[in-house]
Amino acid sequence: MLTINNIEVVYDGVILVLKGVSLEVRDGSITTLLGANGAGKTTTLKAISGVLRAERGEVTKGSIELDGKRIDRFAAYDIVSHGVVQVFEGRRVFVNLTVEENLVAGGHVVPNLPKVRAGIERVYSYFPRLKERRQQQAGYLSGGEQQMLAIGRALMSDPKLILLDEPSLGLAPMLVEEIFGIVRQFVTKEKLTVLLVEQNAAMALDLADHGYVMENGRIVLEGAAATLRENSDIKEFYLGLNEGGVRKSYRDSKRYRRRKRWLS
Ligand SMILES: Nc1ncnc2c1ncn2[C@@H]1O[C@H](COP(=O)(O)OP(=O)(O)OP(=O)(O)O)[C@@H](O)[C@H]1O
Ligand SMILES: [Mg+2]
């Protein structure tokens, strides 16, 4: 469905962030893109969804194709109307709007009211908690509910490909499992396709069919998710396990350092 051919991305005309990235997302699959802080994961998603330009970023080499059609020169709204939607890092919802108003906002590309209504019902069927809180201001939702709302809002544009940027961030493992279970249903029930960016490699590789590992603006590893789970480098660096399968201290893991950075 989606093919990225050797793209380079430059910010501010000089900062080279993606240094020749190629990846493929198969129709009806979940593909995960893993990597440490600053590897270029979010930049890759933004290159696909066309929002780079708003941040003075540019795809300077290579191409991005959706079903064989080049989309790397398209405007962001055009890409949404071609069925590609990004759920941004940090579960950005409109905090002053209610849950339902957020969903309506996500449906702005949907042509008519009955379709918007059907879209809202579809979101509520996946996330009953959002239905219970439909009139509540989004800013008062819990972190997990806000993440559900951010995903639900993306679903409102009736996408075929959803780009998810670190949906697990800051959420309890049980909640992540719940959300990932729903993402899996998108694929099995609705034939959607998902590209999932994660630092939580263990959970992402459990969910995904295929994975890529990115380091410093390049893809350094690729394979079936099951194969990557067994890879010793991945175990060490991303799953926090040593050769004996023992979990290392969180103090050593990148995730811990990242939390600290967020808190400071
Ligand atoms: N708008 C921007 N202008 C300049 N540099 C940027 C911009 N956005 C990102 N970068 C740089 O590009 C690199 C990759 O950033 P990106 O956000 O894609 O990484 P990431 O893999 O998503 O990291 P994280 O896990 O922390 O979210 C970083 O070095 C970052 O500082
Ligand atoms: Mg990021």
Side-chain angles (χ1 to χ4, degrees), residues 120-135:
I120 291 173
E121 286 314 315
R122 173 162 82 146
V123 172
Y124 288 160
S125 72
Y126 283 109
F127 301 106
R129 276 200 240 179
L130 294 181
K131 187 169 188 175
E132 288 164 23
R133 289 163 177 72
R134 62 204 293 171
Q135 300 305 341

Side-chain angles (χ1 to χ4, degrees), residues 150-256:
I151 295 171
R153 198 178 55 189
L155 206 57
M156 287 297 295
S157 68
D158 200 15
K160 52 186 179 186
L161 172 63
I162 301 189
L163 313 173
L164 286 174
D165 199 351
E166 299 210 45
S168 75
L169 191 69
L171 301 184
M174 257 176 61
L175 206 54
V176 177
E177 262 177 42
E178 183 184 339
I179 291 175
F180 279 15
I182 293 166
V183 170
R184 177 43 77 186
Q185 288 182 38
F186 292 169
V187 174
T188 51
K189 284 195 191 162
E190 315 252 351
K191 306 258 177 281
L192 296 188
T193 303
V194 176
L195 176 55
L196 169 72
V197 158
E198 268 296 341
Q199 286 215 8
N200 189 338
M203 297 195 87
L205 289 172
D206 272 342
L207 175 70
D209 306 299
H210 202 84
Y212 290 85
V213 178
M214 187 171 224
E215 240 173 61
N216 200 12
R218 291 191 174 89
I219 301 291
V220 293
L221 209 57
E222 177 208 344
T227 312
L228 290 181
R229 272 199 300 271
E230 295 310 313
N231 182 293
S232 62
D233 286 344
I234 299 234
K235 279 188 174 161
E236 174 100 8
F237 293 115
Y238 299 101
L239 306 184
L241 302 172
N242 66 20
E243 283 296 331
V246 178
R247 183 163 286 280
K248 287 196 297 188
S249 152
Y250 270 100
R251 199 166 287 279
D252 304 330
S253 79
K254 290 182 178 154
R255 191 144 187 97
Y256 176 78

Side-chain angles (χ1 to χ4, degrees), residues 11 15 17 36-43 55 89 166 199 258:
Y11 284 112
I15 310 164
V17 170
N37 288 140
K41 306 179 299 294
T42 297
T43 300
E55 298 187 14
E89 200 174 350
E166 299 210 45
Q199 286 215 8
R258 174 190 178 94

